[in-house]
Amino acid sequence: MTTDSLQNIWKNIDSGIEQKPKKELESILEKKIKKTMNKFYVSLGISMTISIGFLIFLIMAAIRKPDDILYQINNYLLSVLVLFALGSSIWSWYKLQYNKNNLPLKEWLELRIKWLSKWLYNKWVYFLLPVLFILTFFSLHFYNPYLSFTEVTENPESLIGILVGILVGGVVVFFVFRANRRSHRRKLEYLKELLEELCEKS
Amino acid sequence: MKNLKEEFLEMLSGYQGILHKVSLIYFKNKEDREDNFQEIVYQLWKSYPKLKKKESIGSWIYAVSINTSISRLKKNGGVEYREKLPEQKHETDFTEKLLMNEQLRMLIHAIHKLSPVDKSIMLLYLEEKSYEEISQITGLTVSNVGVRINRAKKSLKQNLNHQNHDNR
């Protein structure tokens, strides 16, 4: 088989392909739209429910301790960060989905790499995640309507609880965060390899 | 006046062969091909309202199909498709008929061994697209397209020779 005859052999494929009727194509499209939207709404719904539930808890807990300024600052600051994190994650998800698949392969690869790198190596995450974790931990740990922020820390058992809680929670958050990023990093490496292969000269 | 969806489906009916061919070269398994076909239909639909030059529909479909297929692949050697299990070996879609053509079967198997990038370049070459069109779809310069085609053809020929050698 010579390379010149390859195109002639390939032509046989056109007569062998079974064309799907228009009705079937319509059904494929409708099912796919429904499936994608459901997936989006489920993940959005879960994030929104958790975030709104948490925000309600933070505000209610702060209101229940009107004299404890430190606890109120902690909770209100955390509320702002939760809203910011929710907004930015929805925005990132939207940008990753809206990947302009109609671009030429090279441009499309460059764009995907750019977005994925931006998302993966965003320095805000490294600041935001520990702060969110510590503030959340404090909000839960100091949730005692009868004791103020400073009174709780006077108890030695409470201090041990803070240290153990931060340590255990920190390890859990670290591993979940790392596992989530690992698959994205692999995808990024793969895209970079493809771009390199596409751009390399003879 | 036709609505956008009807217009899209009508256009898609005429060009669906491209979707089948791109899925065929990127995925060995029938289920993966079918999933990929559906994903391409959805991606085409998403970008259809933004399609300005209706005369370059073919190039647009190739670009979306190739990009979508590549985005579904994973890093493990460039292939994500599920390896065929023995009981899955018997194809039930139209490829069963296609693979009865010995030369075409060998060609498709040789293409499967190419890298994802070479697969796209080889497909466009086999589809007799001009260098300009290939350049438009891949984003390579016209002069580089020729180099890449020659290299992909060389790899393909090697794969075919290996197959011939194995069959003896």
Side-chain angles (χ1 to χ4, degrees), chain A residues 1-4 6-22 24-26 28-30 32-33 35-37 97-109 112 186-187 189-191 193-202, chain B residues 5 8-10 13 16-17 20-21 24-25 34 37-39 41-43 45-46 50 60 63-64 67-68 70-71 73-75 94 97-98 101 103-104 107 111 115-118 120 123 125-128 136-140 147-148 151 153 156-157 160:
Chain A
M1 204 187 292
T2 63
T3 46
D4 295 335
L6 293 175
Q7 286 170 327
N8 289 329
I9 296 165
W10 186 253
K11 276 177 190 158
N12 291 312
I13 210 163
D14 289 316
S15 53
I17 286 175
E18 275 173 21
Q19 303 281 323
K20 290 180 194 290
K22 209 170 138 186
E24 197 181 335
L25 291 172
E26 189 175 7
I28 286 172
L29 181 64
E30 276 169 7
K32 192 71 196 175
I33 292 173
K35 202 175 156 187
T36 310
M37 292 316 284
Q97 292 300 307
Y98 182 67
N99 50 26
K100 296 184 176 176
N101 267 336
N102 53 341
L103 289 173
L105 182 59
K106 188 168 167 269
E107 281 176 49
W108 175 79
L109 283 170
R112 287 285 281 179
R186 271 203 293 265
K187 187 86 189 172
E189 281 167 18
Y190 167 64
L191 293 172
E193 276 174 25
L194 288 181
L195 183 65
E196 211 173 289
E197 193 200 331
L198 187 69
C199 294
E200 73 184 9
K201 298 272 186 312
S202 58
Chain B
K5 195 172 168 189
F8 170 76
L9 290 167
E10 205 154 285
S13 301
Q16 60 174 296
H20 285 294
K21 283 184 259 190
L24 182 63
I25 63 156
E34 195 54 42
F37 183 91
Q38 292 174 10
E39 186 63 33
V41 170
Y42 177 64
Q43 294 298 335
W45 167 243
K46 259 174 51 176
K50 287 170 233 148
W60 168 69
V64 174
N67 294 347
T68 304
I70 286 179
S71 73
L73 299 172
K74 278 188 182 160
K75 198 180 176 292
F94 67 87
K97 287 177 206 159
L98 284 176
N101 180 328
Q103 285 187 317
L104 191 57
L107 179 59
I111 294 172
S115 72
V117 168
D118 280 348
S120 63
L123 171 75
Y125 162 77
L126 292 171
E127 292 279 291
E128 297 181 25
Q136 201 185 329
I137 295 163
T138 58
L140 292 168
V147 177
R148 297 309 309 250
R151 197 189 296 171
K153 269 160 75 175
L156 190 70
K157 207 172 177 183
L160 285 165

Side-chain angles (χ1 to χ4, degrees), chain A residues 116-122 125-126 175-187:
Chain A
L116 213 50
S117 303
K118 213 171 167 183
W119 186 78
L120 267 172
Y121 302 115
N122 190 345
V125 178
Y126 295 101
F175 280 107
V176 171
F177 183 65
R178 200 174 69 158
N180 179 271
R181 293 171 75 84
R182 194 177 279 168
S183 65
H184 285 95
R185 202 172 286 135
R186 271 203 293 265
K187 187 86 189 172

Side-chain angles (χ1 to χ4, degrees), chain A residues 75-192:
Chain A
N75 279 20
Y76 290 133
L77 184 63
L78 188 55
S79 305
V80 172
L81 288 177
V82 167
L83 280 173
F84 174 73
L86 181 70
S88 70
S89 62
I90 292 170
W91 179 245
S92 305
W93 189 90
Y94 168 76
K95 284 301 234 183
L96 272 175
Q97 292 300 307
Y98 182 67
N99 50 26
K100 296 184 176 176
N101 267 336
N102 53 341
L103 289 173
L105 182 59
K106 188 168 167 269
E107 281 176 49
W108 175 79
L109 283 170
E110 285 167 346
L111 194 75
R112 287 285 281 179
I113 289 169
K114 190 181 150 195
W115 276 109
L116 213 50
S117 303
K118 213 171 167 183
W119 186 78
L120 267 172
Y121 302 115
N122 190 345
K123 289 187 176 64
W124 270 97
V125 178
Y126 295 101
F127 162 76
L128 205 60
L129 206 70
V131 172
L132 267 175
F133 167 68
I134 289 172
L135 291 181
T136 305
F137 182 79
F138 280 172
S139 181
L140 297 173
H141 188 79
F142 293 98
Y143 178 67
N144 185 334
Y146 307 109
L147 292 174
S148 73
F149 207 89
T150 43
E151 280 169 335
V152 176
T153 51
E154 283 166 9
N155 183 351
E157 284 173 7
S158 170
L159 279 175
I160 294 169
I162 290 174
L163 288 173
V164 173
I166 286 180
L167 197 73
V168 174
V171 169
V172 172
V173 169
F174 172 74
F175 280 107
V176 171
F177 183 65
R178 200 174 69 158
N180 179 271
R181 293 171 75 84
R182 194 177 279 168
S183 65
H184 285 95
R185 202 172 286 135
R186 271 203 293 265
K187 187 86 189 172
L188 180 65
E189 281 167 18
Y190 167 64
L191 293 172
K192 280 182 177 172

Side-chain angles (χ1 to χ4, degrees), chain B residues 27-64:
Chain B
F27 299 94
K28 279 183 183 176
N29 182 286
K30 187 197 162 201
E31 284 77 23
D32 290 334
R33 278 199 298 271
E34 195 54 42
D35 285 351
N36 195 53
F37 183 91
Q38 292 174 10
E39 186 63 33
I40 298 171
V41 170
Y42 177 64
Q43 294 298 335
L44 286 169
W45 167 243
K46 259 174 51 176
S47 60
Y48 186 66
K50 287 170 233 148
L51 179 68
K52 285 171 191 149
K53 292 181 195 164
K54 301 281 180 193
E55 68 271 21
S56 59
I57 281 180
S59 298
W60 168 69
I61 293 179
Y62 276 111
V64 174

